[in-house]
Every structure is written in C-alpha cells, then in structure tokens.
C-alpha cells in the first residue's frame, strides 16, 4: 500500500537516527555536511546581516565613529574597473562550476542517504557521468527561468513606464499601481511553481536518473507517468515538505547562532581594527577583503552545515520513503526483501541392499 506524505515522516526520522547516531561517527557527519553544502541541501536561514557592524552618528562637527564602508569618490571608480570586471567574469565562471559540482553531489547525497554511508571520492567516480546529464537539466532550467522572468517583469515595466510618460493623472497612477500589484502576484505564483519543479527534480528526478540511467527528458516523462495516478498525494507532499522546511529553517538557524559567532565575532573585530588603523579602500585592500571575506563565508557555511546535518539527511530520506512506495526500483533498494535462510537439507537416506534369498538345502547323499 502506498504511504501518504504524513506516514513517511516517522520512517525518515528513524532512518536519520540510524545513520547519524547508531553509532555516531564524526567522519561521516563531517562528510555529509560538505555534501549538503555542495548539493544545495543546507536547511538553515540567513545567519544575520553581518556586513555592517559599525554605525555612525554625528554631533555638531564631531563624528562618533567612521562608517564601515567609506564613501568612494566617483573619480576613482576607473581605478576599480578592471577589478570589478575580473570579479564579474570570475563570478560567472564559478557559478557554472558550482552548478556542475552541485549536479554531481545531488547523486552523491542520494546514494549516501540510501546506503547510510558517505564516500565522496567513490561517489564522484560513480556519479559524475549521470551528474553531467542533470547539469544539462539545470542549465535548461536556469536559462529558461532567466528568459521567462525577464520577459514577465521587463515587458510590463517598460509598458507602464511608457504609459506613465504619455499620461499622468490620478486615475492613471491608480491603474499603474494596480498593474504592479497584479504583476507581483503573478511573479510570486510563478516563483512558487518554479520552486515546486525544483523540489520534484531533486527528490524524484534524481532517483530515476540514477537507477535507470536515463537523460533528463526521458526521466521527466517517466516521472510524469508515475505521478499521473496520484497527483493529489504529490501536491500534499509538496505542501507538507514546504511546512517542514520552514520549521527546519527556524530551528537550525537558532541552533547555528552560537557556532556562527565564532566566525562572525573575529571577522567583525578585524573589520573594526582595520577601520581604526585608518586603512583606506584601494585595489589591494579590496582584494584582500574579498579573499578573507570569502574564506570567512566558507568557514561559516561549513560550521552551520555541521549543525544542520540531520536536516540534510532527513529530507532526502523523507523523499525516498514517499517515492519508494510508488517507484519499485527505489523500493527494492530502500526496503529489500528479507533474506530467507535456506532450509536445512534432510540427511541422505541410505538404502540397505536387500538380503540375498536363502540357499536351497543341500541334497542328502545317497548311501
């Protein structure tokens, strides 16, 4: 019988407890934290806006404290033009590199949770070929999303701007405001639909591609065929998962505050010390700031991921238990049939040869 979305919560919790705590292995925990970051399964909200720690206020001519980011003279923008261009190019390259790594690590996370054992090196060797196919799907999704939202937002905004320049009356402004509200509503609905597609891809498309060695188009066709009979149950699954993700974001964000302070605190002291020392913003200091800021963010992400590792195991396990009841290939691996020991062989029956017939009596001698 197919499990409902609610019925799958308890098995997923049990699966998480067995993988992480029976027994507790810090090596596996730390590897799963890294896999969760690279697979995009980090269920923790923002760690707080720590970009500014220094406020300033003026009293007469005296300045209490200098601003954290001093004003940059527009005449000096050209000095940073090359650095800005290099950062933009590097950001685009890193985005696609991370997207490829993320595609492979989705399968590593899937296998790690399914088998309750995490091996990053072996997982990369097994899944990089299938990960390339999922990377193509993610490229299609990113490009089509950018084009769709660009047209959805850009065209109405341009039309509203042109209409505003032609006619400016109170009723006309009310129409523009109504159009903006409608546009925001449509954008939110489309964003929710996009989020649902991403959840379906991560939770159900990945197992199909992994277990049947299909490309993303055939895998989507296979998934739609499985979903067609139980559309309502998949909708309930998406809604329940959305609620649980929000709860996990709140819970693990609270739990991550204290360990995050070990990174945020020293970073804040370095920024304040640099400002107090009179450092000015130039190419060298900006470059150093970017490097050390990036290292601090990476360290912060990893510490937070260590805290949120149970969520990174629970949600893939929850998806597996729901999908395994509807996808036999996954169900056979997640819930293998118990191995029945062979029945003991009966001892061989040794047949005794029949006794030979008695010899006839010997004739009496004739005397």
């Amino acid at each position: 019988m197919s499990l409902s979305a609610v019925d799958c919560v308890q098995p997923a919790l049990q699966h998480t407890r067995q993988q992480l705590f029976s027994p507790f292995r810090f090596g596996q925990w730390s590897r799963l934290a890294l896999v969760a970051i690279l697979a995009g399964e980090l269920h923790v909200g923002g760690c707080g806006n720590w970009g500014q720690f220094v406020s300033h206020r003026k009293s007469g001519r005296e300045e209490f404290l200098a601003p954290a980011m001093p004003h940059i003279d527009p005449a000096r923008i050209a000095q940073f033009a090359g650095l800005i261009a290099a950062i933009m190019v590097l950001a685009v390259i890193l985005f696609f590199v991370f997207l490829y790594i993320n595609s492979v690590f989705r399968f590593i996370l899937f296998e790690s949770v399914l088998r309750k054992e995490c091996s990053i090196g072996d997982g990369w060797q097994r899944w990089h070929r299938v990960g390339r196919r999922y990377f193509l799907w993610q490229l299609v999704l990113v490009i089509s999303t950018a084009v769709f939202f660009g047209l959805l937002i850009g065209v109405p905004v341009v039309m509203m701007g042109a209409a505003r320049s032609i006619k400016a009356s109170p009723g006309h402004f009310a129409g523009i405001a109504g159009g903006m509200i409608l546009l925001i509503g449509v954008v939110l609905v489309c964003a929710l639909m996009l989020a649902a597609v991403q959840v379906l891809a991560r939770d159900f498309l990945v197992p199909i591609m992994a277990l049947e060695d299909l490309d993303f188009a055939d895998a989507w066709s296979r998934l739609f065929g499985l979903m067609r009979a139980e559309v309502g149950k998949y909708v309930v699954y998406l809604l329940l998962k959305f609620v649980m993700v929000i709860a996990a974001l709140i819970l693990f964000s609270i739990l991550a505050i204290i360990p995050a302070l070990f990174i945020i605190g020293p970073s804040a002291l370095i920024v304040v010390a640099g400002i107090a020392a009179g450092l000015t913003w130039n190419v060298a200091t900006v470059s150093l700031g970017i490097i050390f800021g990036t290292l601090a963010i990476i360290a912060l992400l990893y510490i937070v991921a260590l805290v949120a590792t149970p969520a990174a195991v629970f949600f893939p396990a929850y998806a597996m238990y729901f999908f395994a009841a509807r996808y036999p290939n996954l169900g056979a691996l997640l819930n293998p049939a118990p191995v029945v020991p062979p029945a003991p062989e009966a001892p061989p029956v040794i047949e005794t040869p029949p006794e030979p017939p008695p010899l006839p009596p010997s004739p009496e001698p004739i005397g």
Side-chain angles (χ1 to χ4, degrees), residues 171-220:
H172 187 62
F173 285 132
I176 293 178
M180 290 298 295
I181 294 173
L182 178 62
L183 177 61
I184 292 172
V186 173
V187 170
L188 289 177
V189 171
C190 294
L192 289 175
M193 294 176 62
L194 174 63
V197 170
Q198 291 176 325
V199 171
L200 292 176
R202 290 196 303 264
D203 291 355
F204 307 138
L205 189 70
V206 166
I208 292 175
M209 294 180 67
L211 300 181
E212 297 191 32
D213 198 24
L214 301 176
D215 59 29
F216 70 87
D218 293 334
W220 273 116

Side-chain angles (χ1 to χ4, degrees), residues 192 195 236-249 315:
L192 289 175
V236 173
Y237 169 86
L238 292 174
L239 294 175
L240 182 57
K241 183 168 184 179
F242 175 76
V243 173
M244 291 193 297
V245 166
I246 296 298
L249 287 173
F315 284 105

Side-chain angles (χ1 to χ4, degrees), residues 272-281:
V272 173
I275 294 172
L279 291 178
T280 58
W281 293 104

Side-chain angles (χ1 to χ4, degrees), residues 7 32 47 64 138-139 182 185 194 234 285 309 313:
D7 295 334
L32 282 169
C47 299
F64 180 71
Q138 297 214 82
L139 278 181
L182 178 62
L194 174 63
Y234 282 91
T285 55
T309 297
V313 175

Side-chain angles (χ1 to χ4, degrees), residues 133 185 270 318 342:
R133 300 175 184 174
I270 292 173
Y318 174 66

Side-chain angles (χ1 to χ4, degrees), residues 292-307:
F292 286 106
T294 302
L295 293 176
I297 292 174
I298 292 173
L300 177 63
L301 281 176
Y302 187 69
I303 289 177
V304 170
L306 285 173
V307 175

